[in-house]
Amino acid sequence: EPVAAPNGWRRRLLSLLARIHWQIGNIDEAQRYATEAIDVAAQIGEPLLAADARTTLAAIQRRVGDVDEAKRQFTTATEQLRRSGQHEEELRNLFNQGMLFVDIDDLPSAVETFESARDRAREYGLRWAEYTIHCVVHLSLIRFRQGLWDEALRLVEERKSEVIDPGAMPPISA
């Protein structure tokens, strides 16, 4: 159990615990930790710091089938992440939101969300970030499924043509 005092470290730890429990399928624990992280962020007067936990909470809602709540959480998290400058978390959030739309077969909204993530990633200089790649791959697959093969190929070719500048990549830490 994390330390009891509400502070930034506790909020980060709770958010991390929520993500870990979500990844291993402990939905109840993940939801408890995510909700507590959001509460701690509010207690310390930093509601924007709750956005990563809100993304996890929305992903949980997506998994358990509460589509309306997941949409609400994703939308709130996107706004908070943009305002707070947490760009990689924003891309993670947009990817999960796009996948929610795929799950409910709302492909126009999925395309819009994945395109938004791709455009934001360009703006932020994060074209090769993990969730950017996921978004572009799923955008290409949707276009392929829709029979828009030239568009799917264009997206892949566009990605292929972007040259990675090794000096612009963040260092990998152990």
Side-chain angles (χ1 to χ4, degrees):
E1 185 70 24
V3 294
N7 59 46
W9 286 107
R10 178 174 170 76
R11 194 259 338 140
R12 279 189 210 108
L13 179 59
L14 290 165
S15 292
L16 180 60
L17 286 169
R19 284 178 78 170
I20 290 168
H21 281 281
W22 176 70
Q23 290 292 328
I24 62 174
N26 294 339
I27 302 301
D28 291 340
E29 288 297 300
Q31 193 161 10
R32 180 173 74 85
Y33 285 124
T35 302
E36 194 173 342
I38 293 167
D39 291 345
V40 168
Q43 288 173 19
I44 63 174
E46 296 287 348
L48 293 180
L49 295 179
D52 62 332
R54 196 172 299 284
T55 297
T56 301
L57 193 57
I60 292 166
Q61 298 306 320
R62 173 182 158 226
R63 184 177 282 177
V64 299
D66 190 345
V67 173
D68 291 335
E69 180 61 18
K71 285 180 185 178
R72 189 181 73 72
Q73 293 288 349
F74 281 131
T75 300
T76 301
T78 297
E79 293 166 3
Q80 290 177 333
L81 290 162
R82 271 190 198 138
R83 284 197 312 262
S84 65
Q86 297 177 64
H87 303 312
E88 290 190 41
E89 281 296 321
E90 179 185 349
L91 297 174
R92 172 181 168 247
N93 184 71
L94 288 169
F95 167 74
N96 280 290
Q97 184 175 21
M99 292 308 296
L100 168 69
F101 291 128
V102 170
D103 290 348
I104 63 172
D105 204 30
D106 182 354
L107 297 184
S109 294
V111 166
E112 181 181 333
T113 302
F114 291 142
E115 286 177 341
S116 175
R118 180 199 57 201
D119 295 344
R120 289 282 177 184
R122 284 181 180 154
E123 179 184 327
Y124 301 147
L126 295 170
R127 290 182 170 146
W128 289 98
E130 175 185 2
Y131 287 102
T132 305
I133 294 168
H134 288 307
C135 288
V136 172
V137 166
H138 284 282
L139 181 57
S140 300
L141 290 171
I142 290 169
R143 292 307 194 197
F144 180 81
R145 283 178 42 200
Q146 292 174 323
L148 301 171
W149 299 340
D150 290 339
E151 174 68 8
L153 182 60
R154 186 191 64 73
L155 288 164
V156 172
E157 291 295 326
E158 179 182 279
R159 178 63 48 196
K160 190 172 99 175
S161 70
E162 292 180 358
V163 178
I164 298 175
D165 174 8
M169 299 294 289
I172 297 174
S173 58

